[in-house]
Amino acid sequence: MLTLSVFLGTLGGTIAIGLPIGFCLGVAGLALMFFSGNLDPIIAARRMVSGVDNFVLMAIPFFMLAGEIMNRAGIVRDILRFANAVVGWLRGGLGYVNVMGSMLFAGVTGSAVADTSALGMLEIPMMEESGYDKDYTCALTAASSVMGPIIPPSIPMIIYGMISGTSIAKLFLAGAVPGLLIAVSLGGLNWYYSRKNRYPRERRFPLKEIFLVFVKAIPVLLLPLIVLGGILSGIFTPTEAAAVAAVYAAIISIVIYRLKLTEFFSIFLHAARNTSIVTLVCATASLVTWLLTISMVPQTIANFVFKAAVNPLMVLLGINIFLLVVGCVIDLVPALFILVPVMAPLAHSIGIDPIHFGAIVVCNLCTGLITPPVGTVLYVCCSIGKIGLGRLVRHIAPMIFAILLVLIVVTYFPRVVLFLPNLF
Amino acid sequence: MAQESMVSSERRPELFWIEKPFHVMSKVMRVMVFVLLLIMVITVFANVVGRYVFSKALNWADEVSRAAFVWLVFVSIVLTMWDRGHIGLGNVVARVNPVVGRITDVLAALLKLLFALYLVVGGWQLVSLTLVQLTEYLAIPSAYIYSIVPVMAVFMFIVGIRDLLLLFKRERVD
């Protein structure tokens, strides 16, 4: 327990003085080594390298690359046009378009920030022009981006799968239903608000036009199918699927969207940059995890929980609350790297299905992306929508509750999550 | 946070003696990152094509892509550090008490330096230990792959020094 307090103390202290979390973990690692009396520098170097020298982890830059290419090529416009043709004619149509757009875009990227910034840039002005309240528009844009990392492909699921040694294909599938449920719950809220505030309808598309818009969207809609289909049928591994997705995205963006080759340099650098944010945390976290594991910290915590509790439902509730609190303060990716090594074995030992647990953890921490004070998506949305954090938080509160309802379903009705992965 | 481009690092208010050479260096590193990621995409994709079209798994491709990834990781970590892109909470202490906040800013910069220094030594040891350890398919010393660790740790140290100097030069960083 002393080891744990050294770790948490150093981590908390360094986070509070503004050190980037990747370095906080590194410094916490040094503190642990100092505490255990073994300050051999080679341990740090070796652990950091072995933490990132991982074939599975390579899926992350590839998915980032695919998403960035598609984004830069301007597919967002086609996604929104398609969504508009399908749901735009309803009352509050652009609200549904916003949700459905996020859902479709989630099939291209695995991260929420990309979702908010790429879609928000178009959606927010569009909805405002149509007479929607700015607060509502921004809140809906931020809330719907939560689907980004839940609907496959999903970077948090890759990280969870890598750390816990769970099948990434099954984890991807486990995210599909919760993602759809979030879309439905946000759609429900939009239904209510549109009636209340008399939000407008968009024009109805004639069938022929719907067909044309659909055809234009096909190359984009195919991407998630290639990725999921390829992995599930065993044609390629998740990492290979990600590389195929990147190549596919490059080909269609050059051939169909006429993306200039000169743009690729900055696209690649952008993907590498976003990857490096993850990999720094991954590298230093693997040092910390190793140190904690050799001092038996995960087992100690597991024993502690075993003695204190009790029935798995209570433990799940505790985990839910704990993850929500953590999600409020720590960003999604570091939270995964810090918590999963400890929590996944714990969940396994009390009989929770690892795939189910992955869905719980990811949905929980993704909700943390839109909860203050640390909600990456909130900040991105504030800067795109030019709206204050306080206003955004007030209007996003009901949406957070809607997502929490989904979270309850995900946590306590495993079958909802698991029936899809169990098909394969 | 993620939207600032890694390509342009224009917002350099004052160029230190330390920043000018590193600025040139960072351009080289950007090109490296591009090439490494390209190699990764090509090798992994080639492996899929190789397996299904020529029904031959390319073992060397697997190894090349992983080596490229290790390099990519360490180079891009330093680049993102240079652009101040790594995520953190921001200095909470400074919001409560600005004077103590100044001190903790310096402390944070020093901790970064300490960690970088540690990694320089550790990385060096790792390289010297793996000079004779050959990789499975290409049969090159693993030290070649790991050599990026101490090199980038040195750069990390240099960026850390810049951050520290900036603290004294300017009112507040960020």
Side-chain angles (χ1 to χ4, degrees):
Chain A
M1 275 296 137
L2 202 54
T3 318
L4 188 63
S5 23
V6 168
F7 167 63
L8 290 178
T10 326
L11 187 66
T14 46
I15 287 177
I17 63 173
L19 204 59
I21 294 185
F23 288 105
C24 296
L25 283 163
V27 173
L30 293 192
L32 282 175
M33 288 168 76
F34 184 73
F35 179 69
S36 69
N38 181 4
L39 263 170
D40 198 359
I42 197 174
I43 297 177
R46 195 181 286 264
R47 285 299 135 196
M48 280 179 72
V49 170
S50 69
V52 294
D53 186 6
N54 186 323
F55 195 70
V56 176
L57 196 65
M58 284 169 55
I60 294 177
F62 293 152
F63 277 128
M64 297 253 188
L65 194 58
E68 187 64 23
I69 293 172
M70 296 292 253
N71 184 12
R72 216 62 89 79
I75 54 137
V76 174
R77 219 169 279 276
D78 284 343
I79 286 183
L80 290 181
R81 210 171 282 146
F82 173 60
N84 195 11
V86 180
V87 289
W89 53 275
L90 295 162
R91 178 162 298 288
L94 286 184
Y96 296 115
V97 170
N98 190 320
V99 176
M100 186 172 166
S102 289
M103 205 176 84
L104 296 177
F105 196 61
V108 178
T109 76
S111 91
V113 173
D115 201 314
T116 324
S117 50
L119 289 168
M121 224 86 90
L122 289 177
E123 283 169 351
I124 295 174
M126 194 167 83
M127 285 177 73
E128 269 187 276
E129 221 164 86
S130 242
Y132 293 75
D133 298 313
K134 192 188 190 106
D135 305 340
Y136 177 71
T137 304
C138 292
L140 189 64
T141 306
S144 62
S145 333
V146 169
M147 281 182 280
I150 296 178
I151 290 180
S154 153
I155 285 168
M157 291 291 192
I158 295 173
I159 295 175
Y160 177 90
M162 190 182 80
I163 301 175
S164 66
T166 322
S167 149
I168 289 173
K170 290 196 167 184
L171 284 168
F172 273 6
L173 282 178
V177 174
L180 289 180
L181 287 177
I182 291 177
V184 170
S185 68
L186 291 177
L189 270 181
N190 185 60
W191 179 83
Y192 170 76
Y193 280 111
S194 309
R195 241 142 244 268
K196 194 176 143 208
N197 300 329
R198 309 294 303 156
Y199 286 143
R201 299 161 188 272
E202 302 304 305
R203 75 186 169 92
R204 203 186 267 270
F205 280 61
L207 259 176
K208 192 176 154 215
E209 217 175 322
I210 294 183
F211 179 72
L212 285 177
V213 176
F214 172 68
V215 169
K216 272 208 93 172
I218 285 180
V220 181
L221 301 177
L222 269 180
L223 185 78
L225 292 183
I226 294 175
V227 169
L228 274 182
I231 302 177
L232 291 174
S233 59
I235 296 179
F236 30 66
T237 65
T239 306
E240 288 170 346
V244 170
V247 172
Y248 172 81
I251 291 172
I252 67 163
S253 63
I254 293 169
V255 175
I256 301 178
Y257 291 91
R258 306 269 160 217
L259 185 67
K260 287 201 196 76
L261 281 175
T262 45
E263 293 239 15
F264 275 85
F265 185 68
S266 83
I267 290 174
F268 271 57
L269 285 178
H270 206 102
R273 179 209 172 92
N274 288 340
T275 307
S276 76
I277 295 173
V278 178
T279 47
L280 173 64
V281 176
C282 175
T284 48
S286 70
L287 167 66
V288 166
T289 310
W290 184 77
L291 291 165
L292 289 178
T293 312
I294 56 168
S295 28
M296 313 278 279
V297 170
Q299 291 94 319
T300 318
I301 295 178
N303 283 340
F304 182 74
V305 173
F306 254 136
K307 266 182 217 145
V310 281
N311 80 48
L313 284 184
M314 291 306 287
V315 178
L316 274 181
L317 182 68
I319 286 173
N320 269 154
I321 294 170
F322 176 70
L323 285 175
L324 283 174
V325 173
V326 168
C328 285
V329 227
I330 304 185
D331 211 58
L332 171 62
V333 168
L336 281 170
F337 277 112
I338 299 170
L339 297 177
V340 175
V342 180
M343 291 177 92
L346 171 69
H348 188 67
S349 66
I350 57 172
I352 301 168
D353 185 281
I355 306 284
H356 179 213
F357 192 64
I360 296 175
V361 170
V362 170
C363 290
N364 243 312
L365 291 176
C366 284
T367 315
L369 290 170
I370 54 165
T371 51
V374 182
T376 324
V377 167
L378 284 183
Y379 295 123
V380 174
C381 199
C382 283
S383 79
I384 294 172
K386 301 194 177 49
I387 170 178
L389 185 62
R391 259 173 80 187
L392 181 58
V393 168
R394 259 198 309 287
H395 286 84
I396 210 170
M399 299 173 192
I400 295 180
F401 278 110
I403 294 176
L404 287 182
L405 284 181
V406 175
L407 192 58
I408 292 174
V409 174
V410 167
T411 309
Y412 299 104
F413 299 91
R415 233 177 264 176
V416 175
V417 178
L418 290 177
F419 87 89
L420 209 52
N422 284 348
L423 286 181
F424 295 89
Chain B
M1 127 236 151
Q3 282 311 300
E4 298 161 47
S5 170
M6 197 171 173
V7 186
S8 70
S9 54
E10 300 308 340
R11 53 207 170 81
R12 294 278 82 87
E14 55 254 289
L15 277 175
F16 284 95
W17 51 272
I18 207 169
E19 286 198 286
K20 191 111 191 177
F22 200 92
H23 193 67
V24 178
M25 199 56 226
S26 76
K27 283 193 177 146
V28 177
M29 283 158 69
R30 283 169 222 278
V31 175
M32 270 174 80
V33 160
F34 174 75
V35 174
L36 289 168
L37 190 48
L38 194 63
I39 291 175
M40 283 168 60
V41 175
I42 292 172
T43 45
V44 175
F45 188 73
N47 214 349
V48 179
V49 174
R51 199 165 59 230
Y52 286 98
V53 182
F54 307 106
S55 42
K56 196 158 70 181
L58 313 167
N59 293 324
W60 60 268
D62 184 60
E63 209 174 281
V64 169
S65 63
R66 273 180 49 184
F69 183 54
V70 171
W71 276 54
L72 175 86
V73 164
F74 281 91
V75 176
S76 62
I77 283 176
V78 173
L79 267 182
T80 307
M81 220 181 135
W82 173 253
D83 295 337
R84 301 182 179 289
H86 288 294
I87 44 168
L89 199 54
N91 194 336
V92 182
V93 182
R95 262 176 258 165
V96 183
N97 185 334
V99 182
V100 186
R102 295 277 298 176
I103 301 171
T104 55
D105 269 344
V106 175
L107 179 66
L110 287 175
L111 286 173
K112 230 187 285 179
L113 282 179
L114 176 73
F115 183 71
L117 200 60
Y118 203 68
L119 201 57
V120 174
V121 180
W124 179 254
Q125 292 178 348
L126 184 65
V127 169
S128 37
L129 268 181
T130 49
L131 271 172
V132 286
Q133 177 191 322
L134 299 184
T135 63
E136 208 173 332
Y137 297 106
L138 298 178
I140 53 163
S142 306
Y144 290 4
I145 299 167
Y146 299 148
S147 63
I148 198 70
V149 180
V151 174
M152 283 303 130
V154 169
F155 285 172
M156 216 181 251
F157 190 79
I158 297 172
V159 180
I161 299 236
R162 176 204 67 174
D163 290 351
L164 188 66
L165 291 175
L166 273 178
L167 279 177
F168 292 111
K169 191 115 179 176
R170 241 190 292 162
E171 276 298 291
R172 287 205 44 75
V173 185
D174 300 334

